[in-house]
Amino acid sequence: MNVIKGIKFAHTIFPISLYAFFLFLSACGTEEQQVYINDDAISNEEQVANWLAYGRTHNERRFAPLDDINVSNVKNLSVDWYMDLPGDVGLVSTPLVVDGTLYFTGTMNIVRAVDAVTGELIWTFDPEVGKHIREKKQTGFIHNRGLSFYKGKIFGTTWDGRLFALDAHSGERLWMVQTFDPERALYITGAPKAFKDKVLIGNGGTENGPSRGFVTAYDAETGEEAWKFYIVPGNPAEGFENEAMKMAAATWKGEWWKHGGGGNAWHGFTYDPDFDVLYIGTGNGSPWNQKIRSPGGGDNLFLCSIVALDPDTGEYLWHYQTTPGESWDYNSTMDIVLADLTINNEEVKAILHAPKNGFFYVINRADGKLISAQPFVETSWATQIDLESGRPVEVDNIRYENGPAYITPGANGAHVWQAMSYNPNTGLAYIPALHEGFIYSDESIDLEKWKSIEFVGGTGVRLFPPEKQPRDYPASLIAWDPINQKEAWSVPQDNFWNGGTLTTAGNLVFQGRSDGVLLAYNAETGEVVWEFNAGLGISAPPITYKLNGRQYISVLVGWGGIYAGVGGKDAYDMGWAYGIHTRRLITFSLDGKANMPSLPPPFFPQPLAVNEFEVDQDMVEKGGNQYYSKGCNRCHGSSGISGGMAPDLRASPICINKDVFTSIVKGGARVNRGMPQYDDLNKEDLIALMHFIRDCANSSLTED
Ligand code: CA
């Protein structure tokens, strides 16, 4: 690989007499740089050839000091190269670029290394997720948000909970570990975080069983466990792992450990080289309903917090809890961005954090104290954050104690994992925001008897759509001024679930939308300065890098994330039906000349009309309540309406063919494409499922 690159480089620019010299330099340089991509390299904001970490550098700003592409010339941006990914489904990940090679993780956690200049495939690594999901019941998702690079190694994760290290040159597997008990209903969709010769990973699954969240750091060289940090306390009778758990336990009531407690850290991990501290963003409660989880209240540490840990030992240093007594799925797992701000003439090393609860937090990294917080969307659960105590000023009945309560933001959050970026030149953070509320009610739930069952799970509260949403548009791109804690500009968007953002010194912000359009905005004003129709919903954030004097913008195009699974009719209406639109990695430059064929138009699978299948209502009930709503719906959509992550079963002839249906659901015939094997279902269960699916199809047909 090095040799080929060396020749190319020399061939285009230098006379033949210099071949050997540059061949030598290039090969050595590559080796050296890759091995020495250490914390100093990953902390370097100035370098522009690479995109070394999930958020580009350890600061996680997703800002590049590149201005070759800028507000004046971005109109000339065009496709330089592209790569079709015909087997892929959801693509949500951030590619890395290291020394001319672009690495990314696709569907089923397949890792690819691609020449970042030509788009040629260098190697592929397949962790064979299908084999692993065959072995157990499954929950979780077919997609993954990214990789980590450290000292010549690529680190990736799998749906079924494995963490692996690859040789970056060859793609050869160096080590692989299972990071949680495979009998647990946990999963990984997040990128691992490499720092100080370690690599950290958490997991998701708070809603899928009685889950107690934790993160684990492994030795980057060997894969041996270095340390583990639990996010919530366990049963006090068994003793606490550390003082932090003892302290946290004082904020819990009842027998919380029986419900797990939750807190799963599935996304935001940031290593802070300035203070040598690791921050983890923690998740919501298991279950959401605090009356079940911790009857009588309490803050329930360390749910919905930023927890600062010693990166070497995993020891607790400090925490800031954004949502005490969590009851709404308000994860604080969102991006933890490091910024240097001047506030009241003082230089402040700050954390910027915009979690699901709708407030934008600026936290002092020196001591973990809150500097300021203001709502960036409507926040009906709290009027403000009290700066003295750092606590929200809550309104009445927000824990639905006196009956159903309308709460915004709702469980989908004001901002989820779609990347926020921060531009030190404009001083603004760019947030892909959602505007949605729900009515929360536990009136029909027996709180005393409620129990979470592994792989069945639940939240302990029911959600209903309100008559009116907070705004007449479901999403927006918000440019937020963290110093003055106010919106600088925002752009309303017609559709939910748009992608993450990238910002550059070219005074630009890039974002892909769920309708398939990739846009560049003037970072200061929000004016649209370029747009490109990729022909398929974009969920991943763009990246940028500069090689051989040319700046590139690269993005994975592949509708994905939970909304593509459970988004229902709204997601269906986007037209990104399963199996129709080829997923792509598209790379742009100002001199791009690639001729990329367009994709088919949006497609809407139509339910099959089948007269000979007589639906039995008892079977429908059983198939729906016992099976479909406890697993199938996560990918195939509720009421059989697929948002595109998996086939729309209403339209599938397989669902009226008992033998083929059995071979897939029970036999595992499609595990390689991400359909788990449910071999504990008997003949009658399978038939009940078929009745439920047919009933969904019939209902849709009658509605039309
Ligand atoms: Ca959650």
Side-chain angles (χ1 to χ4, degrees), residues 2-24 26 118 548:
N2 298 330
V3 173
I4 292 168
K5 266 198 211 157
I7 288 170
K8 253 187 217 156
F9 182 57
H11 185 68
T12 49
I13 308 170
F14 300 98
I16 198 139
S17 59
L18 288 172
Y19 259 112
F21 177 64
F22 276 95
L23 212 81
F24 170 79
S26 176
T118 64
N548 306 337

Side-chain angles (χ1 to χ4, degrees), residues 284-285 287-293 297-300 303-304 323-330 381 394 398-401 407 411 440-441 459-461 463:
N284 56 274
W288 300 355
N289 192 336
Q290 196 188 25
K291 283 174 265 180
I292 299 170
R293 186 180 74 235
D299 286 355
N300 299 171
L303 295 184
C304 308
T323 315
E326 197 286 307
S327 300
W328 316 275
D329 193 19
Y330 281 171
W381 69 283
E394 298 180 348
I398 56 162
R399 290 183 187 80
Y400 31 96
E401 49 268 49
I407 310 279
Y440 288 68
S441 171
T459 59
V461 58
L463 299 184

Side-chain angles (χ1 to χ4, degrees), residues 187 206-207 266 283-285 288 329-331 356 411:
Y187 59 85
T206 319
E207 287 81 12
W266 50 263
N284 56 274
W288 300 355
D329 193 19
Y330 281 171
N331 306 288
K356 275 168 100 177

Side-chain angles (χ1 to χ4, degrees), residues 607 628 639-641 650 691-701:
Y628 192 87
S639 308
I641 304 169
R650 301 170 305 162
H691 278 258
F692 174 78
I693 293 162
R694 201 74 309 264
D695 188 58
C696 292
N698 290 346
S699 312
S700 315
L701 286 164

Side-chain angles (χ1 to χ4, degrees), residues 212 230 232-241 245 249 256-257 260:
R212 182 187 181 203
Y230 283 100
V232 297
N235 184 350
E238 289 166 19
F240 297 113
E241 288 85 0
M245 285 298 105
W256 71 86
W257 58 91

Side-chain angles (χ1 to χ4, degrees), residues 487-499:
E487 185 180 294
W489 54 261
S490 71
V491 179
Q493 292 165 327
D494 294 335
N495 299 294
F496 205 67
W497 209 248
N498 302 298

